[in-house]
Amino acid sequence: MTAPVTSGLTQQLAATVDALRRVTVRVQASGAAASGAGVLWDPGAGGGDDSRGLVITNAHVATRAQATIQFSDGAVAQARVVARDRRRDLAALELEPRTAAAVAQVRGAPPLRVGELVIAIGHPGELTGAATLGIVHMASGDRAGRTPPWIRADLRLAPGFSGGPLADARGRLIGINTLMHGGMALAVPAALVQSWLRRARAPA
Amino acid sequence: MTTLLESLSNELATAVEVGGRAVVAIHARRRIPASGVHWRQGVIVATNHTINRDENITVTLPDGTTAPVTLAGRDPSTDLAVLRLAGQSLPTAQLRLDPPPSVGELVIALGRPGPKLTASWGVMSSVAGAWRTWRGGEIDSLLRLDVSIYDGFSGGPLIDAAGRVLGINSSGLARGAAVTIPVATVERTLGELLERGTIRRAYLGIGTQPVRVPQSLARRLELKNTVGLLIASVEPGGPADRDGVLLGDVLLALDGADVSDPTDVLAQLGGDRVGRPIAALVIRGGQVQTLQVTPGERPEPRAA
């Protein structure tokens, strides 16, 4: 039996996951026992200083002013928190100058469709760069419309996925994995991260 | 260039979109709404256990508008309920009666526990033969899912990768685990519910428990089946009582079919049996006897 579709799918999935792992880092807050994930972000986004690397993660991962960042190739760098928002559960960290690091490609359009494939990368337990596959459960919003919008995914996240990327079938970033709630994964939409970043980095 | 992975992603999203056009939210309980499927023009199928009232039921349509519906009928035994929706133009679900789902097939569960459509995915984990629910309903095929069923998904459809409905998901039939009520069962039940409002079921008014007939007796009576059903209770004035069934009789067969489990009795008591005498083979006083019993119609559980 040959399975050209399945083998093609498998190869493409592996390639997409591989590219995503290169923009996923481990974030270890100084002195904290647990670590989480983070996403290498375009440092020029929001008019920032693009000579320094930028990492986006959850505020509940970057709990201290300093953190150690471990890249997918094993290299380690120090970073400091330059913005943190507990309500949105977001934090931005600046890295020591580093050249030629890959950054996540954010999907601007088209809007997410319910049922689309999504891929999450994280570091659960002893693992580094683990992947899970799911679909978009609900595109955005909340029934009441009061809480900040979330991407809801039919996807299993374990501790260690927090702060890592949620991406579409092309590997484009659509959100930052944040928590499990009611059996589904909740991610902060990438667009919300970008607008938050613009505000957080705007000169006072 | 579009990769296979993207094509799969797009097809899944399109299946959700197509299937979702016939999925409505049903407001008939406190807490969060449940789901329903616009099955035929003006007819919505939902699950019985998520409909906690008979009146003041509304639905939220895919376009976000709310419309009143009336309860046409419900069947606790299969956990199905039917609602009528008047004066709305809404696409009806595309049904897939054949071929039946296969184990490992990619499937999507849809729900609308509010204005927005939601989805989860997975595979068919088991496809087996006909089964009887704990309330005696006959389901054409046991369809089990490796799919997360979230709050409010009961009454929503299980769809295939082309957006066609394979059945109605319910968490009310197997201790909270998700099962899918196949299209064939819905179709069979729908007509009777629309016509009568309930599903007619025959009953005898007996309680039974399996017993092994002593070997010596089985040998003397030349029984093939050595397990029978001891009549442990007889409802006073019920059909079996009227026809002379006694406490302590051991029921061996109904209408020529061996019975060794209480579900075997239920299997003989479809709605078409009401009022028609059937032969009951029993052991009484060490002898085999044939009694004629005429099932009555199972009384509806009284409304609260």
Side-chain angles (χ1 to χ4, degrees), chain A:
Chain A
M1 172 190 149
T2 61
V5 172
T6 310
S7 64
L9 271 174
T10 307
Q11 282 168 23
Q12 289 166 12
L13 191 57
T16 307
V17 165
D18 209 43
L20 276 172
R21 290 173 75 163
R22 285 197 285 275
V23 299
T24 306
V25 296
R26 184 186 289 274
V27 178
Q28 173 96 49
S30 301
S35 65
V39 179
L40 288 169
W41 207 273
D42 175 10
D49 173 5
D50 62 3
S51 68
R52 288 168 179 272
L54 181 64
V55 170
I56 298 293
T57 185
N58 286 138
H60 79 263
V61 171
T63 49
R64 313 289 163 87
Q66 307 283 329
T68 304
I69 303 298
Q70 187 175 31
F71 296 89
S72 62
D73 62 4
V76 170
Q78 295 304 312
R80 67 184 183 89
V81 173
V82 292
R84 186 194 281 125
D85 184 330
R86 283 182 201 284
R87 196 176 61 86
R88 295 193 195 284
D89 203 355
L90 288 175
L93 298 96
E94 254 180 23
L95 289 160
E96 296 306 309
R98 179 183 154 93
T99 50
V103 294
Q105 186 203 344
V106 174
R107 166 164 155 181
L112 275 187
R113 301 169 75 195
V114 179
E116 262 191 64
L117 285 178
V118 290
I119 303 161
I121 307 287
H123 316 302
E126 303 295 301
L127 303 176
T128 296
T132 66
L133 181 67
I135 62 168
V136 175
H137 175 76
M138 186 193 270
S140 72
D142 185 275
R143 268 188 296 282
R146 279 189 221 106
T147 50
W150 296 101
I151 295 169
R152 289 160 198 266
D154 179 34
L155 183 79
R156 298 284 152 271
L157 297 182
F161 274 93
S162 282
L166 184 72
D168 68 7
R170 273 170 70 173
R172 294 174 302 184
L173 189 83
I174 56 175
I176 299 292
N177 297 314
T178 300
L179 71 150
M180 287 294 288
H181 178 75
M184 67 196 111
L186 267 56
V188 181
L192 208 149
V193 176
Q194 281 181 313
S195 59
W196 170 76
L197 203 53
R198 261 196 301 277
R199 279 197 306 278
R201 301 179 104 198

Side-chain angles (χ1 to χ4, degrees), chain B residues 229-251:
Chain B
L229 291 174
L230 175 69
I231 306 292
S233 67
V234 178
E235 186 189 307
D241 188 28
R242 279 199 308 268
D243 293 331
V245 174
L246 298 178
L247 214 59
D249 285 349
V250 174
L251 185 63

Side-chain angles (χ1 to χ4, degrees), chain B residues 155-172:
Chain B
L158 186 76
I159 62 170
D160 67 7
R164 294 173 302 181
V165 173
L166 298 165
I168 297 285
N169 298 317
S170 169
S171 60

